């Protein structure tokens, strides 16, 4: 991995992965792209940026020819909650966008990282200690595109020898960029509202357990997997990875340890609740541990300390100097 293209780089993951990759590979060696410009000056000014729609094949070809990358992190997508309100767009962006970049990777001999999700599982999947290889019958358009994406990446590896790799991310929690319309967004919003208003109204039931991970671990996992010895990878795509599993009640209790006045109330949104109920409580990530040495470093307690510290600084910074 010497020169990299990141799609969807203005989003929650891309905005942090791009900066981490630029530190590692050199600023000129990481081409950020998205359909929108970053407002964040760090992301915008620290290296090349292309406005690139993952559905525009002519433009993808031009970008691949100009930049001569050897690795693509394909992050452009429509997340689960927005996907349910715009299923056709979700299918187009998540499937055709992935297909276009798999084809580009094949033509220009690149490795490709594809992030799948806990959303690739469904109501008939074993919810506790969810195995690496198990029933996948998701009932959201997001989940359908994630399972199909996992299979398509496996197919390109088997059929064309393409170096495709990927993980199934849990819900991700971060402070740099707000999340982009997923079901797990509450676990980010709760920290911001706790600091600003000392209260938060949650759209999920208080006992809804979901797998979650802090962004520094997520970024590290992507780089680790793309640098892993290919001979040791049995699964390649769609590795379960996990760090912690908690309910809204449990994260609220952890925040209260630092902000004793904090109060959580509940007003359940049936659409997002149904999605969350269909996802695992916690995944088994033994394959990722064994095949490329995966291990998370943050749990709920250590993440909460860092989130509150970082957000305090961010919320006190004038808008003009904020990353987003
Ligand atoms: P996000 O919504 O924050 O960012 C996605 C980015 O894609 C946005 O900046 C958006 O402008 C861009 N985009 C949308 N349509 C596009 C198009 N047609 N062409 C180019 N760019 C387009 O999402 P994220 O949280 O950063 O997620 C990135 C990837 O990781 C997605 O595949 C998502 O499914 C996956 N993932 C995320 C999480 C999470 O909790 N954040 C969990 C599991 C998997
Ligand atoms: N955080 C993502 C979502 O809720 C999971 O893939 O859509």
């Amino acid at each position: 991995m010497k020169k990299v293209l990141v799609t969807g780089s203005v989003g929650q993951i891309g905005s942090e992965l791009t900066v981490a990759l630029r530190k590692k590979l050199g600023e000129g060696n990481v081409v950020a792209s998205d359909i929108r410009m970053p407002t964040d000056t760090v992301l915008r000014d620290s290296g090349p940026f292309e406005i690139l729609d993952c559905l525009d094949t002519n433009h993808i070809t031009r970008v691949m020819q100009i930049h001569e990358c050897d690795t693509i992190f394909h992050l452009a997508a429509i997340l689960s909650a927005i996907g349910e309100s715009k299923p056709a767009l979700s299918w187009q962006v998540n499937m055709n966008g992935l297909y276009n970049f798999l084809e580009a990777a094949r033509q220009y001999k690149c490795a490709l990282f594809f992030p799948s999700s806990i959303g690739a599982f469904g109501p008939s999947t074993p919810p506790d200690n969810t195995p690496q290889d198990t029933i996948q019958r998701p009932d959201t358009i997001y989940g359908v595109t994630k399972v199909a994406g996992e299979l398509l990446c496996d197919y390109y590896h088997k059929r064309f020898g393409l170096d495709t790799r990927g993980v199934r991310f849990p819900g991700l929690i971060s402070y740099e960029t707000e999340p982009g319309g997923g079901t797990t967004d509450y676990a980010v919003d709760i920290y911001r509202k706790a600091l600003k208003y000392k209260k938060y109204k949650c759209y999920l039931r208080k006992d809804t357990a979901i797998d979650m991970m802090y962004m520094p671990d997520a970024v590290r996992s992507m780089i680790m997997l793309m640098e892993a010895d290919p001979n040791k990878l049995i699964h390649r795509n769609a590795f379960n990875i996990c760090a912690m599993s908690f309910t809204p009640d449990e994260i609220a209790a952890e925040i209260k340890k630092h902000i004793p006045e904090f109060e959580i109330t509940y007003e359940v949104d049936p659409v997002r609740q149904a999605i969350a109920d269909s996802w695992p409580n916690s995944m088994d990530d033994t394959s990722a541990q064994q095949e490329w040495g995966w291990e998370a470093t943050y749990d709920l307690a250590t993440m909460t300390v860092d989130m509150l510290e970082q957000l305090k600084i961010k919320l006190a910074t004038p808008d003009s100097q904020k990353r987003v």
Side-chain angles (χ1 to χ4, degrees), residues 256-267:
K256 257 173 114 62
K257 290 181 188 165
H258 304 271
I259 308 174
E261 321 89 278
F262 176 67
E263 291 297 339
I264 187 166
T265 54
Y266 294 92
E267 189 175 299

Side-chain angles (χ1 to χ4, degrees), residues 15-84:
S15 57
E16 299 207 31
L17 175 68
T18 302
V19 172
L21 286 170
R22 282 183 175 158
K23 272 192 196 135
K24 185 179 170 64
L25 302 175
E27 294 182 337
N29 291 325
V30 181
V31 182
S33 72
D34 204 294
I35 39 166
R36 54 189 173 124
M37 278 300 284
T39 49
D40 168 7
T41 49
V42 175
L43 184 59
R44 196 184 57 210
D45 301 339
S46 64
F49 186 89
E50 295 276 357
I51 288 284
L52 180 60
D53 184 341
C54 65
L55 302 177
D56 183 346
T57 48
N58 288 336
H59 196 186
I60 292 171
T61 301
R62 279 203 300 282
V63 167
M64 297 302 292
Q65 284 172 344
I66 292 166
H67 293 288
E68 298 184 324
C69 294
D70 59 37
T71 305
I72 300 169
F73 285 84
H74 177 54
L75 306 181
I78 305 296
L79 271 70
S80 61
I82 294 185
E84 285 313 289

Side-chain angles (χ1 to χ4, degrees), residues 248-258 262:
D249 236 13
E250 287 163 348
I251 188 173
E254 198 59 42
I255 291 172
K256 257 173 114 62
K257 290 181 188 165
H258 304 271
F262 176 67

Side-chain angles (χ1 to χ4, degrees), residues 30-311:
V30 181
V31 182
S33 72
D34 204 294
I35 39 166
R36 54 189 173 124
M37 278 300 284
T39 49
D40 168 7
T41 49
V42 175
L43 184 59
R44 196 184 57 210
D45 301 339
S46 64
F49 186 89
E50 295 276 357
I51 288 284
L52 180 60
D53 184 341
C54 65
L55 302 177
D56 183 346
T57 48
N58 288 336
H59 196 186
I60 292 171
T61 301
R62 279 203 300 282
V63 167
M64 297 302 292
Q65 284 172 344
I66 292 166
H67 293 288
E68 298 184 324
C69 294
D70 59 37
T71 305
I72 300 169
F73 285 84
H74 177 54
L75 306 181
I78 305 296
L79 271 70
S80 61
I82 294 185
E84 285 313 289
S85 63
K86 297 177 182 168
L89 178 71
S90 177
W91 177 263
Q92 272 175 21
V93 173
N94 295 8
M95 289 319 308
N96 298 347
L98 173 62
Y99 175 79
N100 291 341
F101 275 100
L102 282 167
E103 276 300 301
R106 183 158 82 96
Q107 195 176 347
Y108 293 95
K109 303 195 180 350
C110 294
L112 182 137
F113 176 91
F114 167 68
S116 188
S117 159
I118 42 172
F121 297 117
S124 51
T125 301
D128 296 311
N129 213 22
T130 304
Q132 173 66 40
D133 302 307
T134 185
I135 302 164
Q136 288 183 269
R137 305 286 295 171
D139 56 7
T140 60
I141 188 68
Y142 179 70
V144 170
T145 65
K146 287 300 178 192
V147 178
E150 292 178 2
L151 294 173
L152 197 58
C153 289
D154 276 344
Y155 177 78
Y156 267 71
H157 174 64
K158 189 168 168 239
R159 177 78 172 74
F160 303 118
L162 201 73
D163 186 1
T164 53
R165 306 184 189 192
V167 299
R168 292 184 185 126
F169 278 128
L172 298 180
I173 295 156
S174 63
Y175 55 86
E176 286 294 0
T177 306
E178 293 192 40
T183 303
T184 58
D185 294 9
Y186 93 86
V188 177
D189 210 23
I190 193 169
Y191 287 106
R192 289 177 176 264
K193 297 277 169 31
L195 283 168
K196 272 188 169 171
Y197 309 117
K198 318 269 182 258
K199 59 183 179 185
Y200 178 68
K201 191 191 282 180
C202 184
Y203 56 78
L204 293 182
R205 238 183 16 247
K206 62 182 184 177
D207 60 348
T208 311
I210 308 184
D211 252 322
M212 300 280 188
M213 180 177 288
Y214 197 30
M215 191 60 83
D217 276 335
V219 166
R220 197 169 49 82
S221 75
M222 287 185 264
I223 296 173
M224 264 182 90
L225 177 56
M226 292 314 279
E227 291 184 335
D229 178 352
N231 298 318
K232 295 197 174 140
L233 300 181
I234 300 162
H235 287 87
R236 277 201 158 262
N237 295 293
F239 280 99
N240 284 359
I241 55 167
C242 57
M244 60 189 101
S245 172
F246 57 76
T247 65
D249 236 13
E250 287 163 348
I251 188 173
E254 198 59 42
I255 291 172
K256 257 173 114 62
K257 290 181 188 165
H258 304 271
I259 308 174
E261 321 89 278
F262 176 67
E263 291 297 339
I264 187 166
T265 54
Y266 294 92
E267 189 175 299
V268 171
D269 166 16
V271 174
R272 283 177 287 184
Q273 185 64 53
I275 297 175
D277 286 341
S278 75
W279 289 354
N281 303 329
S282 63
M283 292 184 283
D284 174 8
D285 63 3
T286 310
S287 297
Q289 291 173 33
Q290 289 175 347
E291 292 174 40
W292 47 280
W294 167 247
E295 193 181 3
T297 55
Y298 284 92
D299 60 15
L300 177 57
T302 51
M303 174 181 75
T304 298
V305 169
D306 200 55
M307 272 297 279
L308 292 173
E309 268 175 21
Q310 300 294 341
L311 274 176

